[in-house]
Structures are given as C-alpha cells and as structure tokens.
Amino acid sequence: MGRKIWFNEQQLVWLEEADPELFVEIVIQEEGNGEFSETGSAQNVSMHQLRDLLALKRAHPRHNIWRSWDVYRDAEKSEKIGPIPLYFDIDDATDPPNLKNAYVLTATCLDVLMEKEDWAGSSERLRVVFSGRKGFHIEVKPPFPIEAETMRKSLIAACKRKGLPLAYGNVFFQQTVLDTLHHEWVRLTGTVYSWRTEKGRVEARRVLQISVEDFRNLDIEEIVAMSKSGL
C-alpha cells in the first residue's frame, strides 16, 4: 500500500464486531482466477454492508471473493472508517510456497505479540487466517491505538532476536515475507481460494480462520487438509 497506517480506537475491532450497517467494497472473481486482478476490477466492484457478507459467501461458494481492507460509513464512500482489523501478511514467495517456513514465522510472531501487552498480550486479541496458498495472516486487536508500520519493524527485529534467519529487510529464511497488508484488498475469510496449475487444473483451498490455540495444536499438513475439506 506504500503508506503508514495509524489505527485508532474505531478500527481496533474484528470485522464482525464492527457496525453491521457499514460498507466494504467487494470484487468477485471466477473460479481458478486466484490472484487479484487490477485489470477490469473497477468495473466489478460492488458495495455491500457487513451484515450481508455471510449471504454473499453462500451465494458464491466457488468464486474468489475479495473485500476492501477499508470500511466505509456509506455506499458512496463519503466517510472512510479505515482498515479493519490491524493485519499482518506472511507469505512465502518460493514456487511452490514453503508453508512450513510461513508457519514457523507466524508462530514466532504470535509469541512476540503475546509478550507485549500494548500490542496484544493475550491470545484473545489475536487470531490467524490461513490465506489458502502462500501463508497466513495475523489479525490483531491491540488494546490501544497503534501505528502499524512501527509495529511491523519492531516485530521483525523481535523475530530475529528469537533466532529466525533474516535474509534481508522483511524477508526471513529465503523468501518468507512479513509485512503489513501491502495492497488494498484482502480475501474474504471463509471463501475459497482457487487457482490454475501449469497444466490447467483448478486447485482450491478454503481461507480458514484459526484461533491461536488451534493453530499451535495443528501442524501445517493438518491445516492444509482442513482447508481442502469439502471442496
């Protein structure tokens, strides 16, 4: 996104805790079209109230669905609440993605976040989302307003102190990236991430929300299996 984001009290909630009358932008992409496409997306954007997102998921069980990270007061976007929630994106950029490295980095970040009372300090203020293919998202509900980029830099330094190999910048291991959300769209949790292999076959996994306790009790193979269940 290329911008620093200060999270105020109004933004420090889970999405489902926000006023259901608020709006987000939605982009629905075809099955197998797993990467967000900037081309033509402006024509495909629709506004939906938060209360309607569950019905939207049910109406499009096989589509890739993206929502805006920003939340708005009205459909005309005349008043922006801002990003909800505070969000870290952990992806492995190797091909195929090394999900074990993404899992280890995510687990270490959770440890750090729970150690700092002004960041989270408790598993009740944290949760994990398996993004479906490349890694995980960590959603954070800090007790106090906080600036996301400062938090990210401190988190990188803390993970390095805990012994994770920092390759450069915000990249651990060889190509496992720790970032705040770097674009304005995020997959709608509970929907399907589907993509086409080089042979043209469609692969699919569900975008899973996972509690900290469950994340720690599951290995990456079990998480992937859960994400494929029923698809």
Side-chain angles (χ1 to χ4, degrees):
M1 296 179 73
R3 58 189 173 101
K4 292 187 176 182
I5 302 173
W6 178 265
F7 284 79
N8 59 41
E9 292 93 339
Q10 198 172 16
Q11 296 167 266
L12 297 181
V13 295
W14 305 134
L15 186 67
E16 66 272 16
E17 292 176 337
D19 182 350
E21 301 297 312
L22 297 176
F23 286 81
V24 288
E25 296 175 281
I26 293 290
V27 170
I28 300 173
Q29 296 185 175
E30 295 179 356
E31 180 180 6
N33 187 10
E35 296 298 323
F36 183 79
S37 175
E38 295 286 352
T39 304
S41 64
Q43 289 76 27
N44 298 323
V45 174
S46 55
M47 299 295 292
H48 294 263
Q49 289 183 296
L50 299 185
R51 66 182 181 187
D52 297 330
L53 295 184
L54 180 58
L56 183 74
K57 296 176 191 180
R58 291 172 175 169
H60 299 275
R62 302 293 300 185
H63 288 83
N64 289 282
I65 304 179
W66 300 78
R67 72 166 177 92
S68 59
W69 196 24
D70 284 326
V71 177
Y72 301 91
R73 184 68 66 189
D74 52 48
E76 291 73 32
K77 301 195 295 184
S78 61
E79 182 182 347
K80 182 169 71 174
I81 306 300
I84 294 177
L86 198 159
Y87 199 103
F88 290 102
D89 189 7
I90 297 170
D91 281 340
D92 188 88
T94 55
D95 188 18
N98 188 326
L99 289 176
K100 289 185 177 180
N101 284 348
Y103 179 95
V104 170
L105 179 53
T106 302
T108 306
C109 287
L110 290 173
D111 289 342
V112 174
L113 290 164
M114 289 184 63
E115 289 168 2
K116 295 183 69 66
E117 294 290 338
D118 55 338
W119 287 3
S122 164
S123 60
E124 295 179 358
R125 292 185 174 275
L126 295 166
R127 61 190 187 188
V128 180
V129 176
F130 176 54
S131 61
R133 188 180 183 192
K134 297 179 182 179
F136 297 91
H137 305 152
I138 298 177
E139 296 183 346
V140 192
K141 188 167 65 170
F144 309 108
I146 196 163
E147 200 274 302
E149 180 63 14
T150 299
M151 189 175 180
R152 181 188 72 98
K153 290 178 179 178
S154 297
L155 190 56
I156 291 169
C159 287
K160 182 180 179 182
R161 288 195 299 270
K162 283 185 174 289
L164 292 193
L166 184 64
Y168 57 91
N170 61 336
V171 179
F172 288 86
F173 302 106
Q174 292 180 320
Q175 295 189 58
T176 310
V177 181
L178 167 59
D179 213 343
T180 50
L181 192 68
H182 60 278
H183 53 74
E184 297 180 0
W185 298 90
V186 57
R187 293 184 188 280
L188 188 57
T189 302
T191 58
V192 169
Y193 179 175
S194 64
W195 69 94
R196 293 190 181 276
T197 67
E198 291 182 356
K199 296 182 179 180
R201 186 178 71 251
V202 173
E203 296 279 351
R205 295 174 185 162
R206 196 170 303 282
V207 182
L208 293 178
Q209 182 177 300
I210 310 169
S211 69
V212 173
E213 181 180 5
D214 286 344
F215 176 83
R216 287 178 167 162
N217 288 331
L218 296 166
D219 59 32
I220 186 58
E221 289 80 10
E222 291 171 317
I223 292 172
V224 171
M226 286 173 58
S227 74
K228 293 180 177 181
S229 179
L231 298 180

